[in-house]
Amino acid sequence: MKKAFKWSNLYLWFVFILLYLPIFFLIIYSFNAGDVMQGWDGFSLKHYVELFADTRIIEIVVNTFLIALLSSLLASILGTAGALYIYDQRNRLIKNIFLSLNNILLVSPDVIIGASFLILFTVVGFSLGFASVLLSHIAFSIPIVVLMVLPRLQEMNQSLVAAAKDLGANNWQMLSRVILPVISPGILAGFFMAFTYSLDDFAVTFFVTGNGFSTLSVEIYSRARQGVSLEINALSAMMFIVSLVLVLLYYVISTRSSKNKKRGTRLVTPATEGL
Amino acid sequence: MKSKQQRQLFYLVPYGAWLLLFVIAPLFLLLFQSLTSANGGLTLHNYAVYFGSGTYLRMTFNSVWFAFLITLITLVISYPMAYLLNQLKRKQFWLLLVILPTWINLLLKTYAFIGLLSKTGTVNNFMSFFGIAPQQLLFSDWSFLLVAAYIEIPFMILPIFNSLAEIDPKLEQASRDLGANKWQTLRRVILPLSMPGVKAGIQAVFIPSLSLFMITRLIGGNRVITLGTAIEEHFLVTQNWQLGSTIGVILIVAMVVTMILTRDRVKKNTRK
């Protein structure tokens, strides 16, 4: 019995090492004094210095975060409106139709989203660049927000809304004073999910980005095709820290807001984005 | 009543506009594009080309085969992992550690493998300690399978873990009390009850695996052409959007078929 237990631990360790090996490999080599991801030539921060001197990369990082921030903010607003509409809808058929339509973008492969958005932008005559990338990111983030907000609405105490109505609150007061404060953890969780989706996206952006504009994923793709540069490793080490902070923030938010419920196993991942 | 209508309209206008513009219109345009010829007329020509050409059909078969292999590999690794994770004390914390790598940019993870697998890379250096000559690891079917499976593993572990966590521990105890050994309990009780999670995992891995396109380039060296790669090539390289859309429609059909096959039938039976 004891031996079997040890075997299982070994397996757990094996999978965890497998999962983290490539990530730590990247980070360790970002400190390599040499210029390639092989052989260790000593510790150096020179790739970080290079990174901060590379204005093109800095600009792209700023763009990527700008897109992520703007798209997740706007998607949070639109997604919350969508969730409120679906929640308020009493007709079951209409409700289900809206829910299915909402989920289409969540299940479609990214290539399909990217290609069909490219057709859309071209047919409408919209030029490709910052705006088209931003619109696409808003578009694929909205259903995530809806899915995060809807459960909060369903858990909301109905008598709160009824009481507000009885006391003479109008629509706007009901929304801003009663509903929004109750569902705000859901909106916040949706915002974070949308933010990470946007940071992570490669495939959709790749299709709708055009020539002049680039995000981090697209840039790494084009650089990786030319060969390895340790500047990218330095960048990935920094991105790792950012992801870590985001996950911790999200974890704190989601565990704090579900404290009063029984502790659930619900944890959400970004879908297999952009492969 | 009027105020409710106003409210509904206020929510519906932005959300409905999004649905129309970015969900319904793009899919419709994709379908429409697949039914047109290069000079704009309606035709089934693209579908004739697709189904008439051995290359396209072989590519599709290959893509499905590789997606199947990737799903199988991830399932074999993930099921025991999810099972063992579920028996740990602070399982939520460990689960978070499984999920963390999915939040790291996919391109960066792929990029790491270029360093690990290249001809003078770490894996080859390590092997040369044992006297194995450097091999061409990158740009092979195996490296493609390895990296794709690596990326998909967390998405398989998560749903299986969730379905295992929902199983009432009393059922396991009852099975043991009734004389089943550990293996029988696993096979007759745990495994059937965790099937919804396995199905969800298969869905979450198989569909994206069909449409992989960046990894086929960077790691597979274009040896494996998936449906996703083909779509990308037709749209961005050869600019044949009509045929690209046709393959897109095929991919959507494949996706719908997968979802129907892995639909959760268990629930319907228990609802009786």
Side-chain angles (χ1 to χ4, degrees):
Chain A
M1 199 63 201
K2 209 175 175 190
K3 205 177 173 197
F5 185 66
K6 266 188 182 164
W7 276 111
S8 71
N9 269 355
L10 191 72
Y11 187 76
L12 283 168
W13 276 111
F14 168 73
V15 177
F16 272 118
I17 289 172
L18 197 75
L19 283 175
Y20 282 92
L21 181 77
I23 296 161
F24 286 119
F25 173 80
L26 268 188
I27 295 176
I28 289 167
Y29 266 101
S30 72
F31 297 109
N32 190 9
D35 286 323
V36 277
M37 266 198 277
Q38 48 202 263
W40 182 254
D41 298 336
F43 179 87
S44 149
L45 284 175
K46 73 173 197 183
H47 300 293
Y48 288 85
V49 177
E50 269 170 44
L51 179 70
F52 286 110
D54 188 339
T55 47
R56 183 179 156 82
I57 274 280
I58 301 287
E59 196 191 314
I60 287 170
V61 170
V62 171
N63 278 340
T64 310
F65 275 90
L66 192 65
I67 291 264
L69 194 66
L70 283 177
S71 69
S72 46
L73 267 176
L74 289 166
S76 300
I77 296 169
L78 289 168
T80 306
L84 286 166
Y85 178 78
I86 294 174
Y87 172 72
D88 252 0
Q89 182 56 255
R90 291 286 161 254
N91 185 329
R92 272 195 86 83
L93 181 70
I94 299 181
K95 194 172 186 155
N96 281 334
I97 291 175
F98 269 88
L99 272 175
S100 323
L101 285 176
N102 184 65
N103 292 350
I104 285 181
L105 284 189
L106 281 183
V107 293
S108 338
D110 283 4
V111 186
I112 298 290
I113 300 179
S116 61
F117 282 6
L118 177 62
I119 302 177
L120 176 77
F121 287 128
T122 318
V123 166
V124 181
F126 199 89
S127 68
L128 300 179
F130 180 83
S132 64
V133 174
L134 180 63
L135 280 175
S136 310
H137 281 220
I138 295 172
F140 70 64
S141 299
I142 287 174
I144 310 156
V145 178
V146 174
L147 281 195
M148 303 299 262
V149 175
L150 213 49
R152 296 269 157 220
L153 279 169
Q154 275 146 3
E155 282 163 15
M156 184 173 65
N157 190 346
Q158 272 300 309
S159 12
L160 280 178
V161 184
K165 216 178 207 170
D166 280 352
L167 294 168
N170 61 27
N171 271 333
W172 173 246
Q173 285 167 327
M174 237 156 61
L175 180 70
S176 62
R177 305 275 175 86
V178 182
I179 300 177
L180 282 184
V182 174
I183 61 171
S184 60
I187 301 176
L188 206 59
F191 172 80
F192 267 102
M193 288 300 299
F195 193 83
T196 45
Y197 258 66
S198 170
L199 276 188
D200 232 26
D201 177 68
F202 166 70
V204 177
T205 313
F206 191 64
F207 272 90
V208 297
T209 191
N211 276 329
F213 185 75
S214 183
T215 64
L216 211 50
S217 304
V218 176
E219 180 71 8
I220 296 169
Y221 177 72
S222 58
R223 287 196 183 195
R225 292 188 78 179
Q226 290 154 17
V228 172
S229 136
L230 291 192
E231 209 181 298
I232 301 286
N233 291 52
L235 189 63
S236 32
M238 318 245 321
M239 292 291 288
F240 182 70
I241 307 290
V242 173
S243 314
L244 210 61
V245 171
L246 280 177
V247 173
L248 286 176
L249 262 175
Y250 174 78
Y251 190 62
V252 168
I253 291 168
S254 61
T255 47
R256 194 183 276 172
S257 57
S258 63
K259 223 176 223 169
N260 40 7
K261 288 192 304 175
K262 266 197 282 171
R263 74 197 164 85
T265 48
R266 198 159 18 113
L267 260 171
V268 193
T269 45
T272 26
E273 275 290 309
L275 297 157
Chain B
M1 207 56 216
K2 200 181 167 218
S3 85
K4 180 171 180 182
Q5 276 172 359
Q6 273 176 356
R7 186 171 77 216
Q8 285 284 69
L9 199 67
F10 178 70
Y11 299 145
L12 179 63
V13 168
Y15 185 68
W18 165 73
L19 277 179
L20 271 177
L21 265 174
F22 288 99
V23 180
I24 298 167
L27 282 181
F28 176 75
L29 283 170
L30 190 81
L31 184 66
F32 181 73
Q33 187 83 241
S34 77
L35 292 170
T36 54
S37 63
N39 41 27
L42 273 179
T43 167
L44 279 173
H45 176 70
N46 300 307
Y47 288 90
V49 170
Y50 177 86
F51 286 106
S53 133
T55 326
Y56 282 116
L57 292 178
R58 212 175 310 123
M59 178 273 293
T60 309
F61 175 76
N62 248 328
S63 181
V64 172
W65 171 241
F66 270 97
F68 169 76
L69 286 178
I70 293 165
T71 313
L72 191 69
I73 295 170
T74 46
L75 183 61
V76 167
I77 296 177
S78 303
Y79 196 94
M81 184 68 181
Y83 182 77
L84 294 173
L85 274 176
N86 213 3
Q87 295 179 330
L88 294 176
K89 259 183 199 146
R90 300 173 53 189
K91 49 186 178 183
Q92 286 301 319
F93 170 75
W94 293 107
L95 186 67
L96 193 70
L97 276 187
V98 170
I99 293 170
L100 185 63
T102 65
W103 295 62
I104 288 157
N105 196 307
L106 186 90
L107 263 293
L108 292 176
K109 285 183 282 190
T110 313
Y111 176 75
F113 276 99
I114 298 179
L116 276 166
L117 298 176
S118 68
K119 203 153 190 182
T120 47
T122 309
V123 173
N124 265 326
N125 277 343
F126 184 72
M127 302 248 269
S128 65
F129 272 124
F130 302 99
I132 301 167
Q135 308 269 321
Q136 177 68 40
L137 298 170
L138 213 57
F139 308 137
S140 66
D141 295 357
W142 289 109
S143 60
F144 170 70
L145 282 176
L146 172 77
V147 177
Y150 167 77
I151 282 162
E152 307 279 7
I153 279 175
F155 300 101
M156 185 66 97
I157 293 180
L158 187 68
I160 299 179
F161 175 89
N162 283 340
S163 69
L164 284 170
E166 277 166 17
I167 296 176
D168 190 344
K170 282 184 197 128
L171 289 173
E172 201 173 345
Q173 288 158 14
S175 150
R176 300 297 285 274
D177 281 352
L178 292 169
N181 62 29
K182 212 172 177 181
W183 170 244
Q184 283 168 325
T185 309
L186 183 68
R187 201 168 63 100
R188 298 284 173 83
V189 180
I190 307 287
L191 203 58
L193 284 173
S194 61
M195 274 323 269
V198 173
K199 283 178 175 173
I202 291 174
Q203 233 176 61
V205 171
F206 188 80
I207 296 170
S209 299
L210 276 179
S211 58
L212 294 162
F213 80 86
M214 171 271 295
I215 301 175
T216 54
R217 278 281 152 68
L218 293 180
I219 302 288
N222 268 352
R223 285 173 51 89
V224 187
I225 308 276
T226 60
L227 287 170
T229 321
I231 295 171
E232 189 259 340
E233 293 242 318
H234 280 96
F235 268 89
L236 300 177
V237 183
T238 60
Q239 301 278 338
N240 185 349
W241 288 18
Q242 292 80 27
L243 202 51
S245 302
T246 309
I247 303 171
V249 173
I250 305 277
L251 179 55
I252 292 175
V253 171
M255 177 186 100
V256 173
V257 170
T258 315
M259 292 183 69
I260 291 171
L261 286 178
T262 53
R263 202 177 35 187
D264 208 354
R265 288 199 200 82
V266 184
K267 266 186 192 151
K268 274 185 199 151
N269 294 340
T270 52
R271 217 180 271 157
K272 270 189 258 180

